[in-house]
């Protein structure tokens, strides 16, 4: 007599049960529906999409070889771009650190300050750098000042958010020990909190400086200074060989920033 219950073919192992398979199926169906809806809603002109390889090839031919005639001007603009990123990063620290202090749950004076700090961080991160640049160009006019302020305001959310999280993760024992001795809040911050977050502070600021260099290269597209001014002018006048030179210079600048930040992280952190 054959024991069908013990037969190896009587039960087949499956990774998901019936309910899980249905949930996965309808989740994928919903995702596919949303993708199709999004593609149809944005109204893509598909003939241009199919012709894109030809256009890329044609544009590449017009950009080669790069024209070094304006190289000295490009180098000066690149230096200006680095200055924008550096000044914005330094100014950002003086605003981001106090905001991080009041946005951290274990150091904020009260709930009002907590939500004020978090509102500032969210507002800073919610607005793109180009939008900040457009606003400051409208206020201060075209130039480097608008670019510096745009990068600075964008950086507050990044630095403040990460520094706030670093403050929340500190060891509370040194803080409690100093508070037990009657130390003032300023001394508690200086001797119990700051030493613990200094490595994170340097890492975050160095990383943000590297990001700011990248973002500073496009500010000139809206009149906020830097290499983007020459790039926009070259595109408008169809000087594609000059555009190629500028793009290569931007790549070189980004690689330079990456090398500098790596070196600083090894030396400081």
């Amino acid at each position: 007599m054959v024991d069908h219950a013990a037969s190896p073919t009587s039960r087949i192992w499956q990774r998901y049960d019936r309910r899980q398979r249905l949930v996965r199926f309808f989740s994928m169906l919903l995702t596919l529906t949303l993708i199709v809806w999004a593609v149809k809603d944005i109204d893509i002109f598909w003939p241009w999409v199919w012709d894109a390889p030809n256009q890329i090839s044609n544009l590449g031919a017009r950009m080669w070889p790069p024209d070094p005639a304006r190289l000295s001007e490009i180098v000066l603009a690149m230096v200006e771009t680095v200055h924008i990123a550096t000044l914005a990063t330094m100014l950002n620290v003086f605003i981001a650190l106090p905001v991080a202090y009041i946005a951290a749950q274990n150091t904020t004076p009260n709930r009002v300050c907590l939500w004020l700090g978090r509102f500032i961080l969210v507002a800073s991160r919610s607005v793109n750098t180009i939008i900040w640049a457009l606003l400051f160009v409208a206020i201060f006019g075209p130039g480097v000042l608008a670019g510096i302020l745009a990068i600075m305001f964008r950086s507050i959310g990044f630095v403040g958010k990460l520094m706030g999280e670093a403050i929340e993760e500190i060891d509370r024992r040194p803080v409690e020990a100093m508070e037990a001795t009657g130390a003032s809040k300023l001394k508690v911050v200086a001797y119990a909190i700051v030493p613990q977050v200094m490595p994170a502070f340097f890492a975050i600021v160095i990383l943000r400086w590297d990001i700011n260099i990248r973002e500073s290269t496009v500010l000139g597209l809206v009149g906020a200074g830097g290499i983007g001014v020459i790039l926009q002018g070259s595109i408008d006048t169809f000087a594609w060989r000059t555009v190629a030179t500028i793009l290569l210079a931007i790549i070189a600048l980004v690689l330079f920033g990456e090398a500098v930040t790596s070196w600083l992280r090894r030396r400081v952190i």
Side-chain angles (χ1 to χ4, degrees), residues 59-60 62-75 77-78 227 230-231 234-235 239-253:
L59 183 61
R62 282 181 285 172
M63 294 176 68
W64 187 263
D67 183 9
R70 301 179 63 184
L71 186 59
S72 59
E73 184 181 354
I74 292 171
V75 170
M78 298 297 283
I227 188 63
I230 303 178
L231 177 60
S234 300
I235 293 174
W240 298 112
R241 293 175 61 192
T242 302
V243 170
T245 305
I246 295 172
L247 293 179
L248 291 174
I250 290 174
I251 293 173
L253 177 61

Side-chain angles (χ1 to χ4, degrees), residues 84 124 127-154 215-225:
I84 291 174
S124 171
V127 181
N128 189 271
T129 307
I130 293 295
I131 306 301
W132 281 119
L134 286 170
L135 292 174
F136 288 117
V137 166
I139 296 172
F140 297 103
V144 174
L145 178 60
I148 293 173
L149 292 176
I151 295 291
M152 182 189 73
F153 272 75
R154 174 65 173 177
E215 294 194 345
S216 298
T217 59
V218 298
L219 292 178
L221 300 179
V222 294

Side-chain angles (χ1 to χ4, degrees), residues 95-110:
I95 302 176
L97 291 183
V99 173
Y101 181 83
I102 66 173
Q105 293 189 20
N106 56 340
T107 56
T108 188
N110 50 61

